[in-house]
């Protein structure tokens, strides 16, 4: 085992201090709490998180509305999700994350359709309750095969006090389907993370009673088995949930609920009938896992299907919760794909080994993708989250190496300075950062929606991940566009 490089730790701490010096004193003190360097053996990344961003800096965060509508509820395909407020929040009213689903759009599935109450000035003055009732009645007439409606509140709703709960109860009785109100106004909380929490609580309060009723009346749609699991926190970006589901089914488990990529309202309702909850994106849906554990005694665990090392470890960990049959099946599945993974690594690792990457994404990827990069020989130099909490950073310590730079809610200035100083070969972040770094001449991969590729989960996904990293790093394009530090080196040599 390589001993920790304490010199590198000190070097990175000095870099953090240098970056902070550009801030006014008050901002410098605040941001210093969100930047750190990981030291091996520590169980905490040592950064403060889930705190309001400093006014005036460029942050990549979203709002509570984005967390509820854009992440948790939006991918539930057979429901219609109304963006209640002005059309300006329409980005999150439409499917912007490539949440793939099977169904006939506009008939029984509505994931890529945009429904909004389109608030005008008169609605702000007189309220939008009556308008909302009319919209839900029209939806029932125009889209009779929808299974329910969610009301996703935008900022003005919290300011003017529309009684969306009363509207939900009234219209639910009228159309005979669930209508779920969500107080996810964008100004609430410090980021989209609160929107996740609000969305989870709405499932608990408005959906689980339907399960209790179905169980009482013996009207569940399936007969429970000892191998039932609920797949939670996978939004099927580029088909990720399908890849995960195939693996789980291949080892003999039955996925009775998929929340919420390619998911349905009925799957939300029957989720409590599972024997185990498997969560991929811990940050967005750990709340509902805890609710399931408290209300129904259902155990839950986080798993990671990025890269062959973690896939094998997760399959074994999942199988350990079941009988010998599932354990044996897991070993067979791991053995079945090992040769294929060896070939993928054999092909791509020689082309990628020795490269470095800096990560900055949302919920799970800043830690979950680290082993996948390591499987290809790519070293992670820095990582951080847009909206993580303290428990996310504690989990991150299990994935990162000594001296890794950690940044919470990193500002555009900080991220650019870290990249300029450490000169990674690749930046893997979100769409807001993509073109900044590409214009700097740096290879970039969009890690929120896989740059229109995917899936990246599962064994099949790793092959696609490896190919995409190879295309990003080894594209001949980068020979034509030099990074600032390469330009400087050329100019110095010429002089």
């Amino acid at each position: 085992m390589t001993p920790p490089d304490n010199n590198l730790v000190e070097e990175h701490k000095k870099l953090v201090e240098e970056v902070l010096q550009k801030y006014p004193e008050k901002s410098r003190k605040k941001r210093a709490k969100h930047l750190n360097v990981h030291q091996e053996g520590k169980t905490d990344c040592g950064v403060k998180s889930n705190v309001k961003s400093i006014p005036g800096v460029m942050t990549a965060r979203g709002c509570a509305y984005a967390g509820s509508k854009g992440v948790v509820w939006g991918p539930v395909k057979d429901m219609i999700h109304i963006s209640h407020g002005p059309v300006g929040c329409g980005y999150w009213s439409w499917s912007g994350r490539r949440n793939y689903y099977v169904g006939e759009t506009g008939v029984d599935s509505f994931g890529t359709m945009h429904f909004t109450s389109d608030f005008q000035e008169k609605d702000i003055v007189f309220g939008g309750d009556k308008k909302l009732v009319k919209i839900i009645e029209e939806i029932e007439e125009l889209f009779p095969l929808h299974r329910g409606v969610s009301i996703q509140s935008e900022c003005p709703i919290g300011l003017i006090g529309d009684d969306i709960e009363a509207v939900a109860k009234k219209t639910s009785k009228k159309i005979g389907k669930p209508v779920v109100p969500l107080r996810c106004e964008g100004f609430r909380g410090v980021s989209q993370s609160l929107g996740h929490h609000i969305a989870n609580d709405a499932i608990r309060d408005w959906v689980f009673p339907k399960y209790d009723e179905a169980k009482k009346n013996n009207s569940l749609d399936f007969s429970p088995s000892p191998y039932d699991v609920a797949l939670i926190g996978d939004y099927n970006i580029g088909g990720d949930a399908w890849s995960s589901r195939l693996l789980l089914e291949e080892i003999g488990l039955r996925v009775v609920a998929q929340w919420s990529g390619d998911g349905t309202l009925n799957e939300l309702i029957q989720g409590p009938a599972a024997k185990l909850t498997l969560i991929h994106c811990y940050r967005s849906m750990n709340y509902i896992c805890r609710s399931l554990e408290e209300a129904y005694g259902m155990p839950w665990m986080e798993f990671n299907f990025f890269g062959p090392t973690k896939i094998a470890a997760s399959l074994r960990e999942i199988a350990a919760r079941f009988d010998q049959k599932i354990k044996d099946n897991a070993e067979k599945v791991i053995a079945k794909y090992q040769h294929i993974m060896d070939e993928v690594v054999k092909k791509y690792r020689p082309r990628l080994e020795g490269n470095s990457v800096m990560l900055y994404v949302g919920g799970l990827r800043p830690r979950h993708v680290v082993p996948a990069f390591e499987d290809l020989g790519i070293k992670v130099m820095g990582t951080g989250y847009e909206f993580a909490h303290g428990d996310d950073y504690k989990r991150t310590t299990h994935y990162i190496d000594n001296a890794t730079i950690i940044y919470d809610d990193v500002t555009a200035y900080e991220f650019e300075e870290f990249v300029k100083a450490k000169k990674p070969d690749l930046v893997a972040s979100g769409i807001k950062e993509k073109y900044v770094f590409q214009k700097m001449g740096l290879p970039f991969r969009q890690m929120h929606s896989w740059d229109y590729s995917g899936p990246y989960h599962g064994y099949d996904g790793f092959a696609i991940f490896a190919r995409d990293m190879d295309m990003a790093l080894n594209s001949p394009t980068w020979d034509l566009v030099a990074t600032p530090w390469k330009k400087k080196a050329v100019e110095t040599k010429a002089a």
Side-chain angles (χ1 to χ4, degrees):
M1 185 176 178
T2 307
D5 188 346
N6 292 322
N7 291 331
L8 187 58
V9 171
E10 293 305 315
E11 179 189 320
H12 286 176
K13 284 186 175 182
K14 186 178 178 182
L15 170 61
V16 169
E17 285 300 319
E18 288 173 358
V19 171
L20 285 168
Q21 290 308 308
K22 292 290 185 180
Y23 286 114
E25 185 180 356
K26 190 174 180 181
S27 297
R28 183 164 65 247
K29 285 181 179 178
K30 287 184 176 179
R31 283 304 303 159
K33 297 173 183 177
H34 298 266
L35 306 174
N36 201 14
V37 179
H38 176 61
Q39 291 178 264
E40 195 170 294
K42 295 223 173 156
T43 57
D44 195 313
C45 288
V47 296
K48 197 168 186 178
S49 59
N50 197 34
V51 178
K52 185 168 68 173
S53 300
I54 297 174
V57 303
M58 290 291 288
T59 176
R61 283 174 165 176
C63 65
Y65 163 76
S68 176
K69 170 63 175 68
V71 179
V72 178
W73 279 94
V76 181
K77 63 183 180 180
D78 61 352
M79 291 182 70
I80 287 175
H81 310 287
I82 301 172
S83 294
H84 189 37
V87 74
C89 290
Y91 175 82
W92 285 108
S93 302
W94 187 67
S95 177
R97 297 184 75 219
R98 301 173 61 244
N99 307 108
Y100 287 176
Y101 58 87
V102 175
E104 194 69 34
T105 301
V107 179
D108 59 3
S109 299
F110 310 93
T112 52
M113 297 184 72
H114 180 182
F115 296 84
T116 175
S117 53
D118 188 24
F119 257 48
Q120 304 298 312
E121 186 177 354
K122 64 178 181 179
D123 300 310
I124 300 294
V125 175
F126 298 108
D129 289 355
K130 291 180 181 178
K131 187 175 190 179
L132 186 57
V133 170
K134 186 177 180 183
I135 288 169
I136 294 171
E137 289 173 350
E138 288 181 354
I139 282 172
E140 180 63 16
E141 185 176 346
L142 293 169
F143 305 98
L145 297 184
H146 80 89
R147 296 300 178 124
V149 174
S150 77
I151 302 168
Q152 308 282 336
S153 298
E154 297 174 19
C155 285
I157 306 310
L159 299 174
I160 66 174
D162 271 6
D163 193 348
I164 60 172
E165 290 82 8
V167 170
K169 289 175 183 176
K170 177 182 177 180
T171 53
S172 180
K173 286 180 181 178
K174 187 164 186 178
I175 68 175
K177 297 173 183 176
V179 178
V180 182
L182 292 113
R183 290 284 178 186
C184 56
E185 293 87 0
F187 58 74
R188 298 187 63 185
V190 301
S191 71
Q192 56 263 58
S193 180
L194 182 62
H196 304 150
H197 201 159
I198 291 166
N200 281 223
D201 286 352
I203 295 172
R204 178 196 66 199
D205 297 338
W206 293 80
V207 177
F208 285 174
K210 303 286 183 186
Y211 165 78
D212 296 332
E213 185 181 335
K215 187 178 179 182
K216 183 179 178 181
N217 299 329
N218 293 316
S219 58
L220 283 174
D221 286 352
F222 67 98
S223 298
S225 82
Y227 304 120
D228 293 341
V229 296
L231 175 58
I232 287 182
D234 196 324
Y235 302 102
N236 208 32
I237 297 168
D240 281 338
W242 294 335
S243 292
S244 297
R245 185 170 186 150
L246 284 171
L247 270 182
L248 294 171
E249 291 174 345
E250 196 167 354
I251 68 170
L253 301 178
R254 182 170 70 162
V255 179
V256 298
Q258 193 169 290
W259 298 356
S260 55
D262 195 34
T264 64
L265 175 62
N266 197 45
E267 286 178 85
L268 293 179
I269 293 171
Q270 67 191 25
K275 298 295 184 295
L276 175 68
T277 303
L278 299 172
I279 182 169
H280 215 270
C281 182
Y282 172 86
R283 181 72 274 133
S284 64
M285 294 199 85
N286 77 88
Y287 316 101
I288 203 65
C289 292
R290 297 176 195 280
S291 294
L292 286 165
E293 185 176 43
E294 290 168 9
Y296 304 101
M298 189 191 302
W300 60 279
M301 60 171 284
E302 183 182 20
F303 71 104
N304 182 353
F305 275 0
F306 283 106
T309 300
K310 275 297 175 183
I311 295 171
S314 289
L315 284 175
R316 289 185 174 114
E317 191 177 351
I318 292 166
R321 302 293 188 103
F322 295 91
D323 59 21
Q324 193 60 42
K325 172 187 169 185
I326 302 299
K327 293 174 187 175
D328 292 342
N329 287 347
E331 294 302 327
K332 289 175 185 175
V333 168
I334 292 167
K336 172 185 173 182
Y337 289 101
Q338 189 59 53
H339 173 69
I340 300 170
M341 292 298 97
D342 289 344
E343 289 300 311
V344 171
V345 171
K346 182 180 176 182
K347 177 179 180 180
Y348 289 107
R349 184 159 181 143
R351 297 172 57 82
L352 297 171
E353 192 159 20
N355 282 294
S356 58
V357 61
M358 293 191 85
L359 303 170
Y360 180 58
V361 211
L364 76 157
R365 296 174 182 85
R367 63 178 182 273
H368 271 201
V369 298
V370 171
F373 278 112
E374 290 176 343
D375 285 337
L376 295 170
I378 301 173
K379 179 175 175 56
V380 176
M381 304 172 73
T383 190
Y385 300 80
E386 292 175 13
F387 49 81
H389 295 201
D391 47 357
D392 292 295
Y393 284 106
K394 284 181 180 178
R395 283 170 160 76
T396 303
T397 60
H398 303 304
Y399 288 87
I400 55 178
D401 291 333
N402 188 61
T404 302
I405 302 171
I406 307 295
Y407 28 80
D408 175 71
D409 185 29
V410 73
T411 67
Y413 156 72
E414 291 162 0
F415 200 21
E416 287 179 43
E417 290 303 306
F418 289 143
V419 168
K420 288 175 186 175
K422 294 309 300 177
K423 304 177 178 55
D425 301 290
L426 175 71
V427 176
S429 188
I431 192 68
K432 297 168 188 173
E433 297 79 45
K434 177 175 180 175
Y435 300 104
V436 172
F437 291 112
Q438 284 191 336
K439 287 175 182 177
M440 285 170 61
L442 262 175
F444 187 96
R445 283 306 298 183
Q446 211 272 69
M447 296 298 283
H448 282 288
S449 61
W450 307 153
D451 257 331
Y452 313 102
S453 183
Y456 281 177
H457 292 186
Y459 287 117
D460 293 340
F462 179 69
I464 298 168
F465 174 82
R467 180 203 66 188
D468 287 356
M469 297 309 120
D470 180 43
M471 286 195 301
L473 281 161
N474 294 311
S475 169
T477 306
W478 306 117
D479 294 333
L480 307 174
V481 186
T483 60
W485 46 89
K486 286 180 181 176
K487 282 182 183 177
K488 192 173 181 181
V490 170
E491 290 166 3
T492 303
K493 190 175 180 181

